Amino acid sequence: MITAVYDTKPYDREHLQRASANRDVEWRFLEFRLTRETAPLAQGAHAVCVFVNDQLDRRCLEVLAAQGVKLVALRCTGFNNVDVAAAKALNLVVTRVPVYSPYAVAEHAVALLLTLNRKIHRAYSRVRELNFSLNGLEGFDLHGKTAGIVGTGKIGRIVAQILRGFGMKVLAYDPFPNRDWAAEQGIEYVDASSLAGFSDVLSLHIPLTPQTHHIIRAEILDLVKPGAILINVSRGALIDTKALIEALKTGRLGGVALDVYEEEEGVFFEDLSGQVLQDDDLARLLTFPNVLITAHQAFLTREALADIAGTTVANINALAQGTAFVEGSILT
Ligand code: NAD
C-alpha cells in the first residue's frame, strides 16, 4: 500500500516506520504540505497521510481522487482543514485519529499555565545571562483561584482534574455537559458569561467549527475577569487575534499562552529563524512579556505519537485488507 505522507517531520517518520514494521505499507515521505498544487505528487499512491496544516479543499481532493488515491488518513483529531462533503462525493475515505493520549495535550496546557504564571520562561533566560534578579517575576498561587474550562471533552476533563489537584475551584462550560463526572470531581457547570467573568484562568478545549470560530472576540474579552490568564491549546481561530492584541494592550488580560495561532499555517513547524517574519500580528504578540507561544507541540509526546502512528497504520492496513477501520476514525 503506497502512502504519500505530506508535511513529514523526523518524528512522524520514526513513529510511522516503527508502527508499520511487518505491515504492507510503503511510505513516500514528503516534507512539503498537501495543497491543490502539491496533490499531483501523490501520483501512484493508494493513500495520503496528512496533518493539521495540509489544505484538503475540493480541488485538492479532486486531484487526489483522479490519481487513484482511495484513502486520506489524517494523523490528527481535528479535521477543519478537510472538505469532508467533497471527499464523500468523490468516494474518498477520510479517517482521523479519534483518540490519542489526551494527557499529552492537557499536560501541555498546564505546563503553559505554570510557565506563564511563574514566569519560568523569563527566569530561564535571565539566569543563563547571570541575571539573578527577581524583579518582575511575581506570579500568583493557583490554589484557591478559579479556573474556567471551555469544553469538557477528553482533554478539557483532564485539565480540569489536574487543576482541581492544585486546589483550584473549577467551573466549566459545554453545551453537552457531563454532569456525573462534574459531580464526582467537584466541578460546576455555568453559562459562558459567568465562566468568563469569574475565572482567573480560562482554558479552551473545543473543536474549531463555524460556531466556535472567534468564540473569543472583543465582546467576550470585555467580560473576562481583569487580569485573567487565557490558554489556548485547541485551534488558533477560536480566538480573534486582533481583539486579543487589543485586550493585551489595555492590560485587561494578565497573560496569554498559545500553542495554536490563527495564521499558523506555513509558520508553525518551520524553522524561520533566518527570515523576516511577515505576520505582523504574530510579531506583535511576541513583543508582550506576558504572552507565551509554543508552535503546536501539545501533542508531541512519545505516547501520543505512538498512538497516532498506530491508528494511522491500522487504517491504511484496513484499506489494503478490506477490513474495518479503527472505531470512530471514519469521517466519510
Ligand atoms: P472532544 O471532542 O473530546 O471534546 C470537545 C468538547 O467541546 C465536547 O465536549 C463538546 O461538547 C465541546 N464543545 C463543542 N462546542 C462547544 C462550545 N461552543 N462551547 C463549549 N464547549 C463546546 O475533543 P478533545 O479531544 O478534548 O479535543 C479538543 C480540541 O483540542 C480538538 O478539537 C483539537 O482542536 C484540539 N487539539 C489540539 C492539539 C494540539 O496539539 N495543540 C492536539 C489534539 C487536539
Side-chain angles (χ1 to χ4, degrees):
M1 195 57 34
I2 301 174
T3 303
V5 185
Y6 282 86
D7 206 7
T8 312
K9 303 294 181 213
Y11 45 83
D12 295 317
R13 186 186 288 248
E14 181 192 324
H15 284 274
L16 287 170
Q17 281 174 331
R18 191 175 302 151
S20 61
N22 309 321
R23 298 279 190 128
D24 174 26
V25 187
E26 184 183 329
W27 300 111
R28 191 189 293 164
F29 292 112
L30 305 169
E31 288 182 5
F32 43 83
R33 282 176 291 133
L34 174 61
T35 62
R36 50 177 68 186
E37 285 81 24
T38 60
L41 290 141
Q43 183 73 44
H46 305 98
V48 294
C49 176
V50 298
F51 195 49
V52 292
N53 288 324
D54 293 292
Q55 295 169 10
L56 292 99
D57 56 17
R58 175 176 286 277
R59 181 73 202 121
C60 172
L61 294 165
E62 282 170 357
V63 176
L64 294 178
Q67 293 179 137
V69 169
K70 300 283 177 237
L71 172 70
V72 173
L74 288 148
R75 53 183 192 280
C76 52
T77 307
F79 51 92
N80 49 286
N81 54 334
V82 185
D83 185 339
V84 176
K88 200 175 178 127
L90 291 160
N91 283 325
L92 280 166
V93 178
V94 182
T95 60
R96 63 176 180 139
V97 180
V99 192
Y100 60 83
S101 171
Y103 301 98
V105 185
E107 289 172 12
H108 191 75
V110 177
L112 289 176
L113 169 60
L114 292 174
T115 305
L116 183 66
N117 176 34
R118 302 307 298 270
K119 304 182 173 54
I120 305 295
H121 52 310
R122 300 183 65 200
Y124 174 81
S125 311
R126 276 190 197 184
V127 169
R128 285 178 69 90
E129 293 191 358
L130 309 186
N131 174 356
F132 301 105
S133 157
L134 301 184
N135 294 337
L137 298 186
E138 188 180 308
F140 60 83
D141 284 10
L142 291 176
H143 184 269
K145 301 294 185 307
T146 300
I149 305 295
V150 185
T152 52
K154 293 177 285 299
I155 296 168
R157 288 204 300 276
I158 295 167
V159 173
Q161 288 168 216
I162 295 173
L163 298 183
R164 285 290 290 147
F166 287 151
M168 296 188 82
K169 175 175 180 177
V170 176
L171 304 176
Y173 169 71
D174 193 308
F176 301 98
N178 188 332
R179 296 203 186 278
D180 290 345
W181 163 81
E184 244 168 54
Q185 302 292 333
I187 289 163
E188 190 188 339
Y189 279 104
V190 294
D191 60 66
S193 45
S194 304
L195 191 89
F198 289 119
S199 300
D200 301 289
V201 173
L202 263 176
S203 197
L204 309 179
H205 301 286
I206 55 178
L208 176 63
T209 64
Q211 293 72 41
T212 62
H213 183 265
H214 285 184
I215 194 168
I216 302 296
R217 51 188 184 278
E219 306 91 273
I220 304 297
L221 289 166
D222 285 345
L223 298 176
V224 163
K225 184 169 176 180
I229 285 184
L230 174 65
I231 313 280
N232 185 11
V233 297
S234 289
R235 283 293 179 267
L238 294 174
I239 299 181
D240 176 345
T241 307
K242 292 201 187 302
L244 181 70
I245 290 172
E246 282 313 307
L248 282 160
K249 278 166 75 179
T250 60
R252 169 121 203 148
L253 287 171
V256 176
L258 306 174
D259 186 51
V260 286
Y261 169 61
E262 234 185 330
E263 302 295 334
E264 68 180 53
E265 201 185 303
V267 178
F268 281 16
F269 309 114
E270 308 301 332
D271 178 0
L272 304 183
S273 54
Q275 298 182 30
V276 173
L277 183 60
Q278 297 299 323
D279 184 324
D280 291 349
D281 288 339
L282 180 56
R284 184 69 176 100
L285 281 175
L286 291 169
T287 66
F288 292 101
N290 55 347
V291 170
L292 176 63
I293 301 181
T294 51
H296 209 138
Q297 73 174 73
F299 71 99
L300 204 68
T301 67
R302 208 182 298 136
E303 292 77 5
L305 288 168
D307 289 349
I308 291 168
T311 300
T312 305
V313 168
N315 281 331
I316 295 167
N317 196 55
L319 177 76
Q321 309 289 322
T323 51
F325 291 97
V326 174
E327 200 186 333
S329 69
I330 194 131
L331 295 172
T332 56

